[in-house]
Structure formats: C-alpha cells, structure tokens
Amino acid sequence: MANVIKLRKGLDIQLQGKAAESRIVLSPNGRFALVPDDFEGVTPKVVVREGDHVKAGDALFINKVYPEVKFASPVSGVVTAVERGERRKVLCVKVEADKEQSYVDYGKRDVSKLDAKGVIDALLEAGLFGYIDQLPYAVSTNPTVMPKAIFVSALRDKPLACDFEYEVKGQENDFQTGLTALSRIAMTHLGVGVGSALTDMKDVETTVFDGPCPAGNVGVQVNHIDPVNKGEVVWTVEPTAVLFFGRLFNTGRVDLRRLVAFCGSEVKQPAHVEMLVGQELQTLLANSIDETRHTRIINGNVLTGRPTTKDGYLGAHSSEVTVIPEGDDADEFAGWIMPRLNQFSTSRSYFSWLFGRKKYALDARVKGGERHIIMSGEYDRVLPMDIYGEYLIKAIIAGDIDRMEQLGIYEVSPEDFALAEFVDSSKLELQRIVRQGLNNLRKENA
C-alpha cells in the first residue's frame, strides 16, 4: 500500500479555460526547433550544419561540459538554421520536417536485463539523457555523478495543468518500462495524487500526496521523502520524459510525442493536443484565439512558463500552452476602490472570496511595483517545505552563501517559489532570484 503524505500549505488557483478531455493530434509537418535554454545548466555545442539531413534521434547539439550528453532531433528533416544571439550564444537549431519520417534505430532492449550503466549508456546514445534534472541546483544532470535516489512526480496540480493520467492512458506499458529503467540506476520514488490509477506501478516506491498546489512539485516531494543535504544528489524526471525513455527501450526509436494542454481564458476551445517537442506553435494558435485582443502566450504553465509568440516552438519540458489576457489595455473605473468581484485575492481584499471556488480570467499584470520585503509569513503559507522561504530569499539577494546553505537552498528549485511569487505583496521576481542564487552557488562549488 502506498504511503500517504498530507499537506496543508499551498494554494489552488481556479482559472477559466481548462482543457477538455478531448485529444487533437497535430501532424509532424512544418518547422521544428530544439532550444538549448530549455535544458537548464547546459552549455550547447552544435554538431550539425545548415543543409544537413538528420533523422529523428540524431544529435543536434551536445553539452560542451559533458560531450557524451547529446540532444536528439524530434523529427527527420533538413537543418535550416542555427540561430545565435549575443556572444554567439546558441538560441535554437531549426529543422524542416520531412513528409515521410525516418528514425535512427537504436534497437529494442529488455530493461530487466540491464544494469545502471546499460540504462545510462542507452539514454546517452539516443540523446535523451539531458531530460533528467538534478537537485541541488535544479539543472540538467550529468552522467558522472550517481544519485542517491530518483524522483518522478505524476501529480500535476498547477492551474490549468495537463493531467498526466489522461496523457498516459494507453501508454501504461511505456511508462512502466521507463520507471523500471530508472529503478536500475537508483531507488525510484513515484509521487501521485489521491485516487490515482498509477499506485500499482512496479519497481518504484509510490507516495500519495494529498493537499493543494504545489504538492505536485517534485522539489516538495523530495523535501518530504528524502531531503537533499550538501554533497548529495538526487535526479528528478518529468513523467512525460519517463514515457520517452520507455518508448526508446520498447521500440528502439526516439519518440518525443507529448500531450499538451492548450488552455487559458483566451482560447476558444481548450483541449489536449498531441505534439512533438520543438513543434511550431503557429499551427496550434491559428484561428484558436481572438486576434483583436491583447494576449500573453505562455510556453508552459501560467505560473512557471515563459512568454512566447506565435512564431515560438513547444518547449522541451512544456506540458501546457497557455493564453491569458495581457492586461495592458485594461481600464478599471475607480481602480482599487471597486469591490472587484471578478478579481482573485489571497488576502480577501476583494469581495470575490464570497463566491467560493469561482473561476477567474486573470491577466498578466503584476498590479503594483517592486518594494521592500515585508516579513509577513506570506511565503510560508503557500510553501509546504521545511525551510524558511523569506529568510532564504533575503540570503540569496545578499549573496550570503553560508546562510543560503543553512536555509536549505540545495533542496529548492525556482518553481517551488512560483506560488510565493504570485502572492508576494513585495512584487519580487522570486523564481528569477532563486535561479540566480542557484547559479551562483553552482559556480562557487564548481
């Protein structure tokens, strides 16, 4: 029987535009782009040239620090561009997909007969190892340091999040194969929600998390199951990446299909869409949103995703494409003095709290300027981890490395502070601050 951990801290934000349980499949045609910035901590080195033809599974770039870590093309086609930014930073590698797809054959493997080295070598060869992250630092991991444990969270509870249990239907065998492969490397923990159908997965230690968002954050689950101390490493794997691994071992191919929730109050018909990593968003967004309105297109979740445009591409770790009002054209009569029945407030500043679990069409406005940190306990109310969030943020801003370590920075990732950023009356970019602190600490300990 699975262990159950009850969490009381957190916040469920009810937003309009949740994706319906209908599935749309986008054909793998058109332009694709693999973006190195989707893989935090990777220094890319491009290994293809414009005009080269690649198969699905061929490497487009590698990690310059660990050259054995490759990043596979999601489709077969012709490399049309290697875009670079300032100081020749690699922004993306673009591929024009073939009409008929061809794949590199890596061969089927029986994971029950593989050891840790066999699994890691297979993932490295196929260009999938880079989808494994690690704590501390919340970066793409390297194959030279073995983890004390591996964590997979199959509970997605952020606003408008894609339901993984809907995604995995019909692919349970691939998911089980991926989990078994990971279990050959180290003890693997699977976090699920209450009533999950995934509690029967084999070769893993399953834990049920009962509580509001961010109970599904893998960092929160690590904190409650097996916290990370200085000098220790745990690997974290997104559940869709587990499917990627399972498909590789079961079919011998790199198959980067994922189900994405096309959601948000500005989407005409929110639904689940089957896409490939790196697929252009133009086809998805065409005729699906009101072109006359000012909108914010988010590559990922509304709390943790990155702003993008119609010319963008699906991120490697994005399970949602969210469209909400920008808010820059809003004109509110009498401003804050109005009761604001259609606005959400965690502090009950508006009368909307009287309507219970009402769904809101929130826009992208911050509604206030940056100001001094107010030590009010706001972060602690939505951060179900055994750390002092406000003191940790202050230590990061001050650059006090010893204090950061004492306050548990090795256990956190930027997404753990997404809700704290949402409720923060000081209007600080907490996720950016945490990412900067982690990067600085990583350089210090290199």
Side-chain angles (χ1 to χ4, degrees), residues 104 137 147 218 254 281 290 381 391 400 445:
V104 178
Y137 312 127
V218 70
V254 171
L281 300 179
D290 189 345
R381 286 195 288 270
Y391 291 97
D400 188 340
N445 293 332

Side-chain angles (χ1 to χ4, degrees), residues 286-335:
N287 303 317
S288 298
I289 59 177
D290 189 345
E291 303 284 348
T292 63
R293 291 177 60 85
H294 294 207
T295 56
R296 172 74 63 90
I297 303 171
I298 303 170
N299 198 337
N301 188 267
V302 69
L303 288 178
T304 59
R306 298 177 180 176
T308 188
T309 65
K310 288 185 177 180
D311 297 325
Y313 300 86
L314 181 68
H317 296 286
S318 295
S319 298
E320 300 85 27
V321 174
T322 314
V323 187
I324 61 174
E326 183 66 52
D328 57 353
D329 57 345
D331 185 14
E332 295 179 310
F333 175 73

